[in-house]
Amino acid sequence: MNPAVQRPPAELRYADELAALAASDRDPRPPGWRLSMPAVRRFLLGDGDAPAKIVCAPSLIERAMVGLASSRALLLIGEPGTAKSLLSELLAAAICGQSTLTVQGSAATTEDQIRYGWNYALLLNEGPSARALVPSPLMRAMREGRIARFEEITRCPPEVQDALLSLLSERLLAVPELGETVFAAPGFNLIATANTRDRGVNEMSAALKRRFSFETVFPIADLDQELALVQAEVSRLLAQDGVPRAPAADLLEVLVTTFRELRNGVDGQGQAGERLSSVVSTAEAVAVAHAVTLRGHYLRGDAGQAADIVELLAGAAAKDNADDLKKIRRYIEQRAAKRPGEAWKAFHAARHLLPP
Ligand SMILES: Nc1ncnc2c1ncn2[C@@H]1O[C@H](COP(=O)(O)OP(=O)(O)OP(=O)(O)O)[C@@H](O)[C@H]1O
Ligand SMILES: [Mg+2]
């Protein structure tokens, strides 16, 4: 693995583990798959020494795998930061050994990015030729029998999304300029993700919807599981940075609890509170916990303090929403004050650090 890469894709991060799983895998594999379904599940959810890479219901993984082995594509929908992209990356890496055949959906996505484009210098010089053709990630996935990924599909204009129709139903892509047709090899399929806060899936054409199985990805329901995940992710990030520190356990609990309660609008005892309108997902909790430790390490030589959480909360959770900032202030003033323990006390005491 190249240490000069900020974030290697899953197939490189876990290359050894994937190779070991493939070597000991005796179960039947769907056509074109590198691993059997039980091995893919083990890779994602861990067992024995290998920790889980994702927290979700095993039945979600099973339905997703069966869907991908059938003739339907998979659409993962959910709130921001619920690990839809991570799940699609891990599934692609485990099933076909490559997670980078990805189209990033946006308002500027064009049909070329879904089908194919041209190298215009070659095209002008020698006319349409196989050499001048620039395949899209999807075309490459079809040729090689791999899983393609389509991130934030609902951010593309619906008419561009519909370029997927024949590709997904007939499993072929015609290149009239060359008089050729690319047929999908066994193993080809598509995993798309969509964010419920963006333009809705209801704008997708009915024809396209029919070619997907929909799966909703939910935020982590259990506090202990979320805490363990944030701890593991932060340790991994700090190890990557070469920072020999870990956030204190009670500090992490303050952080994860605060994020959960601001997200859900209820505390552990079921007491109703206020809910932020900005995104306070597990992903944000990981980012803030990481930043808190970096702050402590690089600015003071400690592992981060409660005051750092307060300082970072506004930028991470309230963004530019003044209403959310007020809610955070009330949360710290009213709820944090009542909690036992030094970390909560320090968190409450640092409330003046919130921007006015
Ligand atoms: N259930 C979970 N299991 C594992 N990691 C999680 C989970 N929920 C959140 N995370 C953390 O959140 C990070 C980001 O998630 P990811 O980018 O995949 O979210 P997303 O749902 O695609 O968000 P968006 O809708 O904004 O694209 C992950 O890398 C991981 O650290
Ligand atoms: Mg995503």
Side-chain angles (χ1 to χ4, degrees):
M1 195 156 94
N2 184 352
V5 173
Q6 269 200 350
R7 187 183 182 282
E11 59 273 23
L12 295 182
R13 276 199 314 269
Y14 303 112
D16 297 344
E17 196 181 329
L18 286 169
L21 275 170
S24 63
D25 192 6
R26 303 276 171 275
D27 292 309
R29 302 173 192 185
W33 285 34
R34 299 272 181 102
L35 294 176
S36 66
M37 291 195 190
V40 174
R41 190 177 51 198
R42 229 171 295 142
F43 176 67
L44 268 72
L45 297 175
D47 76 335
D49 335 320
K53 294 174 188 63
I54 190 145
V55 179
C56 70
S59 58
L60 167 64
I61 309 269
E62 284 163 11
R63 284 196 305 272
M65 288 190 299
V66 172
L68 287 172
S70 77
S71 55
R72 278 191 166 194
L74 174 65
L75 178 61
L76 302 172
I77 331 170
E79 289 277 302
T82 44
K84 300 176 294 296
S85 301
L86 178 65
L87 177 57
S88 97
E89 179 188 1
L90 292 171
L91 279 169
I95 292 172
C96 73
Q98 193 170 348
S99 65
T100 52
L101 294 171
T102 305
V103 177
Q104 176 64 52
S106 76
T109 305
T110 57
E111 268 196 43
D112 288 8
Q113 287 161 284
I114 295 176
R115 297 160 57 83
Y116 54 87
W118 298 100
N119 174 328
Y120 288 105
L122 284 175
L123 187 68
L124 288 178
N125 244 339
E126 55 192 53
S129 67
R131 215 158 70 98
L133 183 127
V134 179
S136 69
L138 274 122
M139 187 186 232
R140 286 178 48 202
M142 290 175 81
R143 277 186 182 147
E144 297 167 20
R146 295 184 196 266
I147 302 285
R149 297 171 51 203
F150 203 135
E151 287 283 298
E152 311 289 355
I153 189 169
T154 50
R155 295 183 61 194
C156 305
E159 52 285 6
V160 174
Q161 294 174 20
D162 281 346
L164 286 170
L165 281 174
S166 68
L167 209 143
L168 290 180
S169 47
E170 279 119 61
R171 305 268 154 170
L172 57 79
L173 185 48
V175 189
E177 295 90 336
L178 299 181
E180 271 178 24
T181 303
V182 174
F183 294 94
F188 165 73
N189 214 334
L190 175 71
I191 309 178
T193 62
N195 191 312
T196 44
R197 298 232 181 170
D198 285 331
R199 184 149 60 156
V201 276
N202 29 9
E203 279 183 41
M204 260 170 110
S205 70
L208 187 59
K209 271 192 208 164
R210 218 162 48 67
R211 283 158 178 86
F212 280 97
S213 316
F214 286 49
E215 287 292 343
T216 307
V217 183
F218 294 100
I220 304 175
D222 181 66
L223 168 65
D224 291 334
Q225 273 192 322
E226 187 170 1
L227 205 50
L229 177 95
V230 173
Q231 187 152 32
E233 277 292 294
V234 171
S235 308
R236 195 176 60 76
L237 293 171
L238 291 170
Q240 225 172 53
D241 300 333
V243 172
R245 295 188 192 271
D250 57 350
L251 199 66
L252 214 54
E253 197 177 325
V254 167
L255 194 157
V256 174
T257 307
T258 301
F259 271 68
R260 285 174 69 85
E261 296 185 354
L262 290 172
R263 177 194 321 152
N264 300 329
V266 240
D267 69 13
Q269 276 72 49
Q271 292 262 12
E274 292 176 301
R275 193 189 201 135
L276 295 200
S277 52
S278 333
V279 179
V280 270
S281 67
T282 310
E284 266 79 30
V286 170
V288 172
H290 182 211
V292 163
T293 321
L294 293 183
R295 238 178 110 93
H297 178 68
Y298 287 117
L299 291 178
R300 291 183 308 262
D302 63 27
Q305 295 169 4
D308 297 320
I309 305 182
V310 179
E311 289 236 32
L312 293 163
L313 253 180
K319 304 268 163 31
D320 58 352
N321 185 327
D323 238 24
D324 278 356
L325 198 57
K326 282 188 205 142
K327 290 181 191 166
I328 294 176
R329 177 167 295 114
R330 281 197 288 270
Y331 178 87
I332 303 183
E333 277 168 1
Q334 295 164 15
R335 303 233 160 184
K338 295 195 198 120
R339 295 265 158 78
E342 285 308 308
W344 281 106
K345 208 186 264 171
F347 185 52
H348 180 248
R351 63 190 181 283
H352 64 277
L353 294 173
L354 281 176

Short mmCIF file of all heavy atoms in Angstrom, two decimals, residues 98 100-103 111-118 129-150 163-164 166-168 171-190:
data_model
loop_
_atom_site.label_atom_id
_atom_site.label_comp_id
_atom_site.label_asym_id
_atom_site.label_seq_id
_atom_site.Cartn_x
_atom_site.Cartn_y
_atom_site.Cartn_z
N GLN A 98 -12.67 -4.31 -6.82
CA GLN A 98 -12.42 -2.93 -7.25
C GLN A 98 -13.60 -2.04 -6.88
O GLN A 98 -14.73 -2.33 -7.24
CB GLN A 98 -12.19 -2.88 -8.76
CG GLN A 98 -11.62 -1.56 -9.21
CD GLN A 98 -11.16 -1.59 -10.66
OE1 GLN A 98 -11.05 -2.65 -11.27
NE2 GLN A 98 -10.90 -0.43 -11.21
N THR A 100 -13.41 1.42 -7.38
CA THR A 100 -13.16 2.75 -7.94
C THR A 100 -13.83 3.00 -9.29
O THR A 100 -13.60 4.03 -9.91
CB THR A 100 -11.65 2.99 -8.08
OG1 THR A 100 -11.11 1.89 -8.80
CG2 THR A 100 -10.97 3.10 -6.74
N LEU A 101 -14.63 2.05 -9.76
CA LEU A 101 -15.37 2.29 -11.02
C LEU A 101 -16.61 3.10 -10.67
O LEU A 101 -17.72 2.57 -10.61
CB LEU A 101 -15.73 0.97 -11.69
CG LEU A 101 -14.52 0.17 -12.18
CD1 LEU A 101 -14.91 -1.23 -12.64
CD2 LEU A 101 -13.81 0.92 -13.31
N THR A 102 -16.39 4.37 -10.38
CA THR A 102 -17.43 5.19 -9.75
C THR A 102 -17.77 6.42 -10.56
O THR A 102 -16.88 7.12 -11.04
CB THR A 102 -16.94 5.63 -8.35
OG1 THR A 102 -16.60 4.47 -7.62
CG2 THR A 102 -18.01 6.40 -7.60
N VAL A 103 -19.07 6.68 -10.68
CA VAL A 103 -19.54 7.93 -11.26
C VAL A 103 -20.06 8.78 -10.10
O VAL A 103 -20.83 8.30 -9.28
CB VAL A 103 -20.70 7.69 -12.25
CG1 VAL A 103 -21.24 9.01 -12.78
CG2 VAL A 103 -20.26 6.78 -13.38
N GLU A 111 -24.41 12.43 -20.03
CA GLU A 111 -24.56 11.05 -20.50
C GLU A 111 -23.21 10.40 -20.79
O GLU A 111 -23.04 9.20 -20.61
CB GLU A 111 -25.41 11.02 -21.77
CG GLU A 111 -26.86 10.82 -21.48
CD GLU A 111 -27.63 10.39 -22.72
OE1 GLU A 111 -27.13 9.53 -23.47
OE2 GLU A 111 -28.72 10.92 -22.93
N ASP A 112 -22.24 11.22 -21.24
CA ASP A 112 -20.90 10.69 -21.53
C ASP A 112 -20.30 9.98 -20.33
O ASP A 112 -19.56 9.02 -20.48
CB ASP A 112 -19.92 11.84 -21.85
CG ASP A 112 -20.20 12.45 -23.19
OD1 ASP A 112 -21.24 12.08 -23.78
OD2 ASP A 112 -19.39 13.28 -23.62
N GLN A 113 -20.59 10.53 -19.14
CA GLN A 113 -19.99 9.94 -17.94
C GLN A 113 -20.65 8.61 -17.60
O GLN A 113 -20.12 7.84 -16.83
CB GLN A 113 -20.10 10.93 -16.78
CG GLN A 113 -19.14 12.09 -16.95
CD GLN A 113 -19.54 13.27 -16.09
OE1 GLN A 113 -20.48 14.00 -16.41
NE2 GLN A 113 -18.84 13.47 -15.01
N ILE A 114 -21.82 8.37 -18.17
CA ILE A 114 -22.51 7.11 -17.92
C ILE A 114 -22.22 6.12 -19.05
O ILE A 114 -22.06 4.93 -18.82
CB ILE A 114 -24.03 7.37 -17.80
CG1 ILE A 114 -24.29 8.23 -16.55
CG2 ILE A 114 -24.81 6.08 -17.73
CD1 ILE A 114 -25.73 8.64 -16.37
N ARG A 115 -22.15 6.63 -20.30
CA ARG A 115 -21.94 5.74 -21.44
C ARG A 115 -20.47 5.75 -21.86
O ARG A 115 -19.68 4.94 -21.41
CB ARG A 115 -22.86 6.14 -22.58
CG ARG A 115 -24.33 5.98 -22.19
CD ARG A 115 -25.26 6.79 -23.06
NE ARG A 115 -25.11 6.44 -24.47
CZ ARG A 115 -25.71 5.40 -25.04
NH1 ARG A 115 -26.52 4.64 -24.34
NH2 ARG A 115 -25.53 5.14 -26.31
N TYR A 116 -20.10 6.68 -22.72
CA TYR A 116 -18.69 6.77 -23.13
C TYR A 116 -18.46 8.14 -23.75
O TYR A 116 -19.41 8.81 -24.15
CB TYR A 116 -18.32 5.67 -24.14
CG TYR A 116 -19.23 5.65 -25.33
CD1 TYR A 116 -18.98 6.44 -26.44
CD2 TYR A 116 -20.38 4.87 -25.32
CE1 TYR A 116 -19.85 6.46 -27.52
CE2 TYR A 116 -21.27 4.88 -26.39
CZ TYR A 116 -21.00 5.68 -27.48
OH TYR A 116 -21.86 5.71 -28.54
N GLY A 117 -17.21 8.54 -23.79
CA GLY A 117 -16.88 9.81 -24.44
C GLY A 117 -15.76 9.57 -25.45
O GLY A 117 -15.45 8.42 -25.78
N TRP A 118 -15.17 10.65 -25.91
CA TRP A 118 -14.11 10.53 -26.92
C TRP A 118 -12.91 11.36 -26.53
O TRP A 118 -13.05 12.43 -25.94
CB TRP A 118 -14.61 10.99 -28.30
CG TRP A 118 -15.75 10.17 -28.82
CD1 TRP A 118 -17.07 10.50 -28.77
CD2 TRP A 118 -15.66 8.89 -29.42
NE1 TRP A 118 -17.83 9.50 -29.31
CE2 TRP A 118 -16.99 8.49 -29.73
CE3 TRP A 118 -14.62 8.03 -29.75
CZ2 TRP A 118 -17.29 7.28 -30.33
CZ3 TRP A 118 -14.92 6.82 -30.36
CH2 TRP A 118 -16.24 6.45 -30.64
N SER A 129 -12.60 5.44 -33.32
CA SER A 129 -11.87 4.18 -33.27
C SER A 129 -11.91 3.70 -31.83
O SER A 129 -12.22 4.47 -30.92
CB SER A 129 -10.41 4.40 -33.68
OG SER A 129 -9.78 5.20 -32.70
N ALA A 130 -11.60 2.45 -31.63
CA ALA A 130 -11.59 1.90 -30.27
C ALA A 130 -10.60 2.68 -29.41
O ALA A 130 -10.80 2.88 -28.23
CB ALA A 130 -11.24 0.42 -30.31
N ARG A 131 -9.50 3.14 -30.06
CA ARG A 131 -8.46 3.86 -29.33
C ARG A 131 -8.95 5.24 -28.87
O ARG A 131 -8.56 5.73 -27.82
CB ARG A 131 -7.25 4.05 -30.25
CG ARG A 131 -5.91 4.00 -29.58
CD ARG A 131 -4.84 3.67 -30.61
NE ARG A 131 -4.64 4.78 -31.53
CZ ARG A 131 -3.65 5.69 -31.42
NH1 ARG A 131 -2.79 5.58 -30.42
NH2 ARG A 131 -3.50 6.63 -32.31
N ALA A 132 -9.82 5.85 -29.69
CA ALA A 132 -10.28 7.20 -29.38
C ALA A 132 -11.43 7.18 -28.37
O ALA A 132 -11.79 8.21 -27.81
CB ALA A 132 -10.72 7.90 -30.65
N LEU A 133 -12.02 6.02 -28.16
CA LEU A 133 -13.16 5.94 -27.26
C LEU A 133 -12.68 6.00 -25.80
O LEU A 133 -11.72 5.34 -25.43
CB LEU A 133 -13.91 4.63 -27.52
CG LEU A 133 -15.18 4.43 -26.69
CD1 LEU A 133 -16.35 4.12 -27.60
CD2 LEU A 133 -15.00 3.33 -25.68
N VAL A 134 -13.35 6.83 -25.02
CA VAL A 134 -13.04 6.89 -23.58
C VAL A 134 -14.20 6.24 -22.84
O VAL A 134 -15.29 6.79 -22.77
CB VAL A 134 -12.87 8.36 -23.11
CG1 VAL A 134 -12.58 8.41 -21.62
CG2 VAL A 134 -11.78 9.05 -23.90
N PRO A 135 -14.00 5.02 -22.33
CA PRO A 135 -15.12 4.33 -21.69
C PRO A 135 -15.47 4.98 -20.36
O PRO A 135 -14.60 5.50 -19.66
CB PRO A 135 -14.58 2.91 -21.48
CG PRO A 135 -13.10 3.06 -21.44
CD PRO A 135 -12.76 4.24 -22.29
N SER A 136 -16.74 4.94 -19.99
CA SER A 136 -17.14 5.41 -18.66
C SER A 136 -16.81 4.30 -17.67
O SER A 136 -16.56 3.15 -18.05
CB SER A 136 -18.65 5.65 -18.65
OG SER A 136 -19.32 4.41 -18.74
N PRO A 137 -16.81 4.63 -16.37
CA PRO A 137 -16.60 3.58 -15.38
C PRO A 137 -17.62 2.44 -15.53
O PRO A 137 -17.31 1.27 -15.32
CB PRO A 137 -16.81 4.30 -14.05
CG PRO A 137 -16.52 5.74 -14.33
CD PRO A 137 -16.93 5.96 -15.75
N LEU A 138 -18.84 2.82 -15.95
CA LEU A 138 -19.86 1.78 -16.12
C LEU A 138 -19.53 0.86 -17.28
O LEU A 138 -19.74 -0.35 -17.21
CB LEU A 138 -21.22 2.44 -16.37
CG LEU A 138 -21.94 2.79 -15.08
CD1 LEU A 138 -22.25 4.25 -15.00
CD2 LEU A 138 -23.21 1.98 -15.00
N MET A 139 -19.04 1.43 -18.37
CA MET A 139 -18.69 0.60 -19.52
C MET A 139 -17.56 -0.36 -19.14
O MET A 139 -17.58 -1.53 -19.51
CB MET A 139 -18.28 1.47 -20.69
CG MET A 139 -18.06 0.70 -21.97
SD MET A 139 -17.41 1.80 -23.23
CE MET A 139 -18.54 1.48 -24.56
N ARG A 140 -16.60 0.15 -18.39
CA ARG A 140 -15.50 -0.72 -17.97
C ARG A 140 -16.01 -1.83 -17.07
O ARG A 140 -15.61 -2.99 -17.19
CB ARG A 140 -14.42 0.10 -17.27
CG ARG A 140 -13.62 0.93 -18.27
CD ARG A 140 -12.58 1.79 -17.59
NE ARG A 140 -11.79 1.05 -16.63
CZ ARG A 140 -11.12 1.62 -15.62
NH1 ARG A 140 -11.18 2.92 -15.46
NH2 ARG A 140 -10.41 0.89 -14.81
N ALA A 141 -16.92 -1.48 -16.16
CA ALA A 141 -17.47 -2.50 -15.26
C ALA A 141 -18.21 -3.57 -16.06
O ALA A 141 -18.12 -4.76 -15.76
CB ALA A 141 -18.40 -1.85 -14.24
N MET A 142 -18.92 -3.16 -17.11
CA MET A 142 -19.65 -4.13 -17.94
C MET A 142 -18.67 -5.08 -18.64
O MET A 142 -18.85 -6.29 -18.64
CB MET A 142 -20.48 -3.40 -19.00
CG MET A 142 -21.65 -2.65 -18.42
SD MET A 142 -22.52 -1.70 -19.67
CE MET A 142 -23.53 -2.96 -20.41
N ARG A 143 -17.63 -4.50 -19.22
CA ARG A 143 -16.65 -5.32 -19.93
C ARG A 143 -15.97 -6.31 -19.00
O ARG A 143 -15.72 -7.45 -19.35
CB ARG A 143 -15.57 -4.43 -20.53
CG ARG A 143 -15.94 -3.82 -21.85
CD ARG A 143 -14.73 -3.08 -22.40
NE ARG A 143 -15.04 -2.44 -23.66
CZ ARG A 143 -14.49 -1.28 -24.04
NH1 ARG A 143 -13.62 -0.65 -23.26
NH2 ARG A 143 -14.81 -0.77 -25.21
N GLU A 144 -15.63 -5.81 -17.80
CA GLU A 144 -14.83 -6.63 -16.89
C GLU A 144 -15.66 -7.45 -15.92
O GLU A 144 -15.11 -8.20 -15.11
CB GLU A 144 -13.88 -5.71 -16.09
CG GLU A 144 -12.88 -4.98 -16.99
CD GLU A 144 -12.17 -3.85 -16.25
OE1 GLU A 144 -12.14 -3.86 -15.00
OE2 GLU A 144 -11.64 -2.95 -16.94
N GLY A 145 -16.99 -7.31 -15.99
CA GLY A 145 -17.85 -8.06 -15.07
C GLY A 145 -17.66 -7.63 -13.63
O GLY A 145 -17.55 -8.46 -12.73
N ARG A 146 -17.63 -6.33 -13.41
CA ARG A 146 -17.44 -5.83 -12.05
C ARG A 146 -18.64 -4.99 -11.59
O ARG A 146 -19.54 -4.69 -12.37
CB ARG A 146 -16.19 -4.95 -11.97
CG ARG A 146 -14.91 -5.71 -12.25
CD ARG A 146 -13.74 -4.77 -12.06
NE ARG A 146 -12.53 -5.27 -12.65
CZ ARG A 146 -11.60 -5.96 -11.99
NH1 ARG A 146 -11.78 -6.26 -10.71
NH2 ARG A 146 -10.52 -6.37 -12.59
N ILE A 147 -18.55 -4.58 -10.32
CA ILE A 147 -19.59 -3.72 -9.75
C ILE A 147 -19.20 -2.26 -10.03
O ILE A 147 -18.10 -1.84 -9.70
CB ILE A 147 -19.69 -3.90 -8.22
CG1 ILE A 147 -19.98 -5.36 -7.86
CG2 ILE A 147 -20.71 -2.94 -7.62
CD1 ILE A 147 -21.39 -5.80 -8.09
N ALA A 148 -20.12 -1.52 -10.65
CA ALA A 148 -19.92 -0.08 -10.80
C ALA A 148 -20.67 0.62 -9.69
O ALA A 148 -21.61 0.08 -9.13
CB ALA A 148 -20.44 0.38 -12.16
N ARG A 149 -20.21 1.83 -9.35
CA ARG A 149 -20.89 2.61 -8.30
C ARG A 149 -21.36 3.93 -8.88
O ARG A 149 -20.69 4.51 -9.72
CB ARG A 149 -19.94 2.86 -7.13
CG ARG A 149 -19.49 1.59 -6.45
CD ARG A 149 -18.38 1.89 -5.44
NE ARG A 149 -18.78 2.97 -4.54
CZ ARG A 149 -17.92 3.73 -3.87
NH1 ARG A 149 -16.63 3.55 -3.99
NH2 ARG A 149 -18.36 4.68 -3.07
N PHE A 150 -22.51 4.37 -8.42
CA PHE A 150 -23.04 5.65 -8.84
C PHE A 150 -23.41 6.41 -7.58
O PHE A 150 -24.39 6.11 -6.93
CB PHE A 150 -24.28 5.43 -9.73
CG PHE A 150 -24.59 6.58 -10.65
CD1 PHE A 150 -24.92 6.33 -11.98
CD2 PHE A 150 -24.57 7.89 -10.20
CE1 PHE A 150 -25.22 7.38 -12.84
CE2 PHE A 150 -24.86 8.93 -11.05
CZ PHE A 150 -25.18 8.68 -12.37
N ALA A 163 -30.14 7.42 -18.99
CA ALA A 163 -29.14 6.75 -19.84
C ALA A 163 -28.82 5.36 -19.28
O ALA A 163 -28.24 4.52 -19.97
CB ALA A 163 -27.87 7.60 -19.92
N LEU A 164 -29.20 5.13 -18.03
CA LEU A 164 -28.92 3.82 -17.42
C LEU A 164 -29.91 2.75 -17.85
O LEU A 164 -29.66 1.55 -17.67
CB LEU A 164 -29.01 3.95 -15.89
CG LEU A 164 -27.89 4.67 -15.17
CD1 LEU A 164 -28.29 4.90 -13.72
CD2 LEU A 164 -26.62 3.82 -15.22
N SER A 166 -31.24 1.17 -20.63
CA SER A 166 -30.98 -0.02 -21.46
C SER A 166 -29.80 -0.79 -20.89
O SER A 166 -29.75 -2.02 -20.96
CB SER A 166 -30.70 0.39 -22.90
OG SER A 166 -29.47 1.07 -22.95
N LEU A 167 -28.89 -0.03 -20.30
CA LEU A 167 -27.72 -0.65 -19.72
C LEU A 167 -28.13 -1.64 -18.60
O LEU A 167 -27.56 -2.72 -18.46
CB LEU A 167 -26.96 0.53 -19.14
CG LEU A 167 -25.50 0.56 -18.98
CD1 LEU A 167 -25.04 1.97 -19.28
CD2 LEU A 167 -25.23 0.24 -17.56
N LEU A 168 -29.14 -1.23 -17.83
CA LEU A 168 -29.54 -2.08 -16.71
C LEU A 168 -30.54 -3.15 -17.11
O LEU A 168 -30.58 -4.22 -16.51
CB LEU A 168 -30.16 -1.23 -15.59
CG LEU A 168 -29.17 -0.34 -14.82
CD1 LEU A 168 -29.89 0.45 -13.75
CD2 LEU A 168 -28.04 -1.16 -14.22
N ARG A 171 -28.65 -4.98 -20.39
CA ARG A 171 -27.26 -5.28 -20.02
C ARG A 171 -26.33 -5.16 -21.22
O ARG A 171 -25.46 -6.01 -21.45
CB ARG A 171 -27.17 -6.68 -19.40
CG ARG A 171 -28.11 -6.85 -18.19
CD ARG A 171 -27.38 -6.51 -16.95
NE ARG A 171 -28.28 -6.07 -15.89
CZ ARG A 171 -27.90 -5.89 -14.63
NH1 ARG A 171 -26.67 -6.15 -14.28
NH2 ARG A 171 -28.74 -5.46 -13.74
N LEU A 172 -26.58 -4.13 -22.00
CA LEU A 172 -25.68 -3.87 -23.12
C LEU A 172 -25.58 -2.38 -23.35
O LEU A 172 -26.43 -1.61 -22.91
CB LEU A 172 -26.16 -4.57 -24.38
CG LEU A 172 -27.56 -4.28 -24.92
CD1 LEU A 172 -27.66 -2.98 -25.67
CD2 LEU A 172 -28.00 -5.42 -25.81
N LEU A 173 -24.52 -1.99 -24.03
CA LEU A 173 -24.28 -0.59 -24.33
C LEU A 173 -23.84 -0.52 -25.78
O LEU A 173 -22.79 -1.05 -26.15
CB LEU A 173 -23.18 -0.09 -23.38
CG LEU A 173 -22.80 1.38 -23.38
CD1 LEU A 173 -24.05 2.26 -23.31
CD2 LEU A 173 -21.93 1.67 -22.17
N ALA A 174 -24.68 0.10 -26.62
CA ALA A 174 -24.36 0.17 -28.04
C ALA A 174 -23.43 1.36 -28.31
O ALA A 174 -23.59 2.42 -27.72
CB ALA A 174 -25.65 0.33 -28.84
N VAL A 175 -22.45 1.14 -29.19
CA VAL A 175 -21.57 2.23 -29.63
C VAL A 175 -21.77 2.37 -31.13
O VAL A 175 -21.02 1.81 -31.93
CB VAL A 175 -20.08 1.91 -29.32
CG1 VAL A 175 -19.21 3.14 -29.59
CG2 VAL A 175 -19.91 1.44 -27.89
N PRO A 176 -22.81 3.11 -31.55
CA PRO A 176 -23.14 3.15 -32.97
C PRO A 176 -21.98 3.67 -33.84
O PRO A 176 -21.81 3.23 -34.97
CB PRO A 176 -24.35 4.09 -33.05
CG PRO A 176 -24.59 4.61 -31.69
CD PRO A 176 -23.76 3.87 -30.72
N GLU A 177 -21.17 4.58 -33.30
CA GLU A 177 -20.06 5.15 -34.10
C GLU A 177 -19.09 4.07 -34.55
O GLU A 177 -18.43 4.20 -35.57
CB GLU A 177 -19.28 6.18 -33.28
CG GLU A 177 -20.06 7.42 -32.91
CD GLU A 177 -20.79 7.30 -31.58
OE1 GLU A 177 -21.07 6.15 -31.15
OE2 GLU A 177 -21.10 8.34 -30.97
N LEU A 178 -18.98 3.00 -33.77
CA LEU A 178 -18.05 1.92 -34.12
C LEU A 178 -18.79 0.69 -34.64
O LEU A 178 -18.18 -0.32 -34.96
CB LEU A 178 -17.21 1.51 -32.90
CG LEU A 178 -16.32 2.57 -32.25
CD1 LEU A 178 -15.57 1.98 -31.08
CD2 LEU A 178 -15.36 3.15 -33.28
N GLY A 179 -20.12 0.78 -34.67
CA GLY A 179 -20.92 -0.39 -35.04
C GLY A 179 -20.70 -1.55 -34.09
O GLY A 179 -20.68 -2.71 -34.48
N GLU A 180 -20.52 -1.21 -32.83
CA GLU A 180 -20.23 -2.25 -31.84
C GLU A 180 -21.21 -2.21 -30.69
O GLU A 180 -21.86 -1.19 -30.46
CB GLU A 180 -18.83 -2.01 -31.25
CG GLU A 180 -17.72 -2.68 -32.01
CD GLU A 180 -16.37 -2.36 -31.40
OE1 GLU A 180 -16.33 -2.04 -30.19
OE2 GLU A 180 -15.38 -2.44 -32.14
N THR A 181 -21.27 -3.30 -29.97
CA THR A 181 -22.09 -3.34 -28.77
C THR A 181 -21.26 -3.97 -27.66
O THR A 181 -20.62 -5.00 -27.89
CB THR A 181 -23.36 -4.18 -28.99
OG1 THR A 181 -24.08 -3.61 -30.09
CG2 THR A 181 -24.24 -4.19 -27.77
N VAL A 182 -21.28 -3.34 -26.52
CA VAL A 182 -20.58 -3.93 -25.37
C VAL A 182 -21.61 -4.69 -24.55
O VAL A 182 -22.61 -4.11 -24.12
CB VAL A 182 -19.92 -2.83 -24.51
CG1 VAL A 182 -19.31 -3.42 -23.24
CG2 VAL A 182 -18.89 -2.07 -25.32
N PHE A 183 -21.38 -5.98 -24.34
CA PHE A 183 -22.29 -6.78 -23.53
C PHE A 183 -21.70 -6.95 -22.13
O PHE A 183 -20.49 -7.14 -21.99
CB PHE A 183 -22.50 -8.15 -24.17
CG PHE A 183 -23.22 -8.08 -25.48
CD1 PHE A 183 -22.50 -8.03 -26.68
CD2 PHE A 183 -24.61 -8.04 -25.53
CE1 PHE A 183 -23.16 -7.94 -27.90
CE2 PHE A 183 -25.27 -7.94 -26.75
CZ PHE A 183 -24.55 -7.89 -27.94
N ALA A 184 -22.57 -6.88 -21.13
CA ALA A 184 -22.07 -6.99 -19.75
C ALA A 184 -21.60 -8.41 -19.47
O ALA A 184 -22.30 -9.38 -19.76
CB ALA A 184 -23.17 -6.61 -18.78
N ALA A 185 -20.40 -8.52 -18.91
CA ALA A 185 -19.88 -9.82 -18.51
C ALA A 185 -20.52 -10.24 -17.18
O ALA A 185 -21.00 -9.38 -16.43
CB ALA A 185 -18.36 -9.73 -18.36
N PRO A 186 -20.53 -11.55 -16.88
CA PRO A 186 -21.11 -12.00 -15.60
C PRO A 186 -20.41 -11.30 -14.44
O PRO A 186 -19.19 -11.13 -14.46
CB PRO A 186 -20.81 -13.50 -15.58
CG PRO A 186 -20.57 -13.88 -17.00
CD PRO A 186 -20.02 -12.67 -17.69
N GLY A 187 -21.19 -10.88 -13.46
CA GLY A 187 -20.62 -10.18 -12.31
C GLY A 187 -20.92 -8.70 -12.34
O GLY A 187 -20.84 -8.03 -11.32
N PHE A 188 -21.29 -8.19 -13.54
CA PHE A 188 -21.58 -6.75 -13.62
C PHE A 188 -22.86 -6.42 -12.88
O PHE A 188 -23.85 -7.13 -12.98
CB PHE A 188 -21.72 -6.30 -15.08
CG PHE A 188 -22.37 -4.93 -15.21
CD1 PHE A 188 -21.65 -3.79 -14.87
CD2 PHE A 188 -23.68 -4.80 -15.62
CE1 PHE A 188 -22.24 -2.53 -14.95
CE2 PHE A 188 -24.29 -3.54 -15.72
CZ PHE A 188 -23.56 -2.41 -15.38
N ASN A 189 -22.82 -5.38 -12.10
CA ASN A 189 -24.04 -4.77 -11.57
C ASN A 189 -23.71 -3.37 -11.07
O ASN A 189 -22.56 -2.95 -11.16
CB ASN A 189 -24.69 -5.62 -10.48
CG ASN A 189 -26.21 -5.50 -10.52
OD1 ASN A 189 -26.75 -4.49 -10.97
ND2 ASN A 189 -26.91 -6.53 -10.04
N LEU A 190 -24.72 -2.70 -10.54
CA LEU A 190 -24.54 -1.29 -10.16
C LEU A 190 -25.05 -1.07 -8.74
O LEU A 190 -26.12 -1.55 -8.38
CB LEU A 190 -25.33 -0.42 -11.14
CG LEU A 190 -25.36 1.08 -10.85
CD1 LEU A 190 -24.00 1.71 -11.11
CD2 LEU A 190 -26.42 1.76 -11.70
#
